[in-house]
Amino acid sequence: MNKELDFIQTMFDSIAPKYDFLNRFLSLRQDVFWRKEMVKAANLAKDDLALDVACGTCDVGIEIQKQHKDQYKAQCKVFGVDFSHKMLSFAQKKIDNNINLVAGNALFLPFKDNLFDAVFIAFGIRNIMDRANVLKAFKKSLKKGGRVVVLELTTPAPGLLKNLYIIYFKKILPLLGAFFSKDANAYTYLPESVMKFPEPKEFAKIMKRAGFKNVKWKPMTFGIVTLFVGINN
Ligand SMILES: C[S@@+](CC[C@H](N)C(=O)[O-])C[C@H]1O[C@@H](n2cnc3c(N)ncnc32)[C@H](O)[C@@H]1O
């Protein structure tokens, strides 16, 4: 694995014990709402097979199951993949038998081609610099007509809110994150990685270039998060 991936993996291993708590706390529970919207956007059918890439502690997989059960009164099969063993071990404690966790790299998905009806990635693609190839890997693993759903932290449009958000994100959040996670780097890396993430319009172009059609995006919570959907045609 290259150095960039090693760094990310070590960082998530280190913050895994506090990851869920910090997500809820630092986002004021907005993360729960964002994942709900993400799963709704995939419009899963009854027998669909879903993949949660960079699943971390598996909150997306769990939300998929929850919505599926509410809608179809049936369980749905979900695979979760992540390269942080620590994140996966926390995920394992939260899930039931219908979610299968696999250790692996998003760039080299350990599944056969044309398998999934929907591929999800929440707050993961920002950490993967080779976005074109990771999106191509998703496309390969999707059936024709399958959906890719990407949820990512983005920067709000210029204005007062953006200035306030940047103060919170760059000055306050790293202090809170370091205090609770005991990892000073992780929550300094977080705002840096978000600032480097392309604007939604640009990221949508990368999705289109990777071969996805009908690419749409929706800013949420003043644009601090954006939800992208594309179809494998
Ligand atoms: C911010 S967490 C998101 C976790 C989860 N999706 C969520 O909604 O909370 C990012 C996750 O991506 C994983 N990750 C980053 N790059 C990866 C890669 N190349 N392959 C597999 N997992 C990766 C990390 O280990 C970490 O668990």
Side-chain angles (χ1 to χ4, degrees):
M1 224 186 295
N2 70 29
K3 267 202 174 140
E4 162 216 317
L5 294 179
D6 273 352
F7 162 75
I8 305 280
Q9 190 182 31
T10 309
M11 183 181 79
F12 280 104
D13 276 343
S14 131
I15 63 171
K18 289 278 180 283
Y19 180 78
D20 284 354
F21 161 72
L22 279 168
N23 263 350
R24 306 294 181 275
F25 175 60
L26 296 172
S27 75
L28 308 174
R29 278 193 80 82
Q30 286 290 294
D31 67 313
V32 175
F33 163 74
W34 295 329
R35 287 193 200 85
K36 279 189 200 307
E37 292 298 299
M38 176 191 210
V39 173
K40 272 190 219 156
N43 226 344
L44 288 170
K46 191 168 183 215
D47 296 317
D48 277 0
L49 185 62
L51 174 64
D52 177 10
V53 182
C55 64
T57 56
C58 216
D59 280 347
V60 173
I62 293 167
E63 181 58 30
I64 294 171
Q65 284 210 313
K66 188 173 171 295
Q67 289 192 20
H68 213 76
K69 216 170 170 191
D70 288 348
Q71 192 176 357
Y72 299 111
K73 313 277 171 258
Q75 288 286 18
C76 122
K77 260 261 166 279
V78 181
F79 282 85
V81 63
D82 200 290
F83 66 10
S84 160
H85 291 87
K86 282 271 168 57
M87 293 290 266
L88 289 178
S89 76
F90 281 93
Q92 194 64 53
K93 294 180 191 148
K94 293 162 58 180
I95 59 172
D96 67 21
N97 291 341
N98 286 300
I99 303 185
N100 295 285
L101 299 178
V102 183
N105 187 340
L107 286 154
F108 308 100
L109 290 173
F111 304 99
K112 63 177 193 174
D113 295 352
N114 308 313
L115 183 64
F116 295 101
D117 299 282
V119 170
F120 297 82
I121 183 164
F123 312 118
I125 207 155
R126 188 186 71 241
N127 302 307
I128 304 169
M129 292 308 123
D130 193 352
R131 292 184 188 121
N133 276 323
V134 84
L135 286 165
K136 282 182 189 157
F138 298 169
K139 188 170 153 56
K140 255 176 79 177
S141 74
L142 276 168
K143 290 179 190 163
K144 206 170 154 51
R147 283 86 67 211
V148 65
V149 191
V150 180
L151 184 66
E152 196 45 272
L153 292 165
T154 44
T155 316
L160 176 66
L161 192 98
K162 176 172 178 174
N163 299 340
L164 292 174
Y165 177 68
I166 297 224
I167 293 171
Y168 168 70
F169 210 46
K170 284 192 159 174
K171 305 273 185 229
I172 302 168
L173 180 141
L175 293 177
L176 293 171
F179 178 76
F180 287 109
S181 72
K182 311 285 175 237
D183 184 319
N185 291 331
Y187 288 85
T188 307
Y189 162 81
L190 172 66
E192 282 168 11
S193 65
V194 176
M195 300 299 152
K196 284 189 197 144
F197 191 71
E199 284 189 10
K201 199 173 161 190
E202 291 310 310
F203 183 70
K205 280 187 195 159
I206 301 175
M207 287 178 70
K208 286 178 199 164
R209 278 201 293 273
F212 290 102
K213 301 278 183 288
N214 297 343
V215 174
K216 295 195 171 65
W217 67 96
K218 174 173 103 164
M220 293 193 284
T221 320
F222 310 108
I224 66 173
V225 157
T226 303
L227 178 63
F228 302 86
V229 183
I231 311 282
N232 176 30
N233 253 343

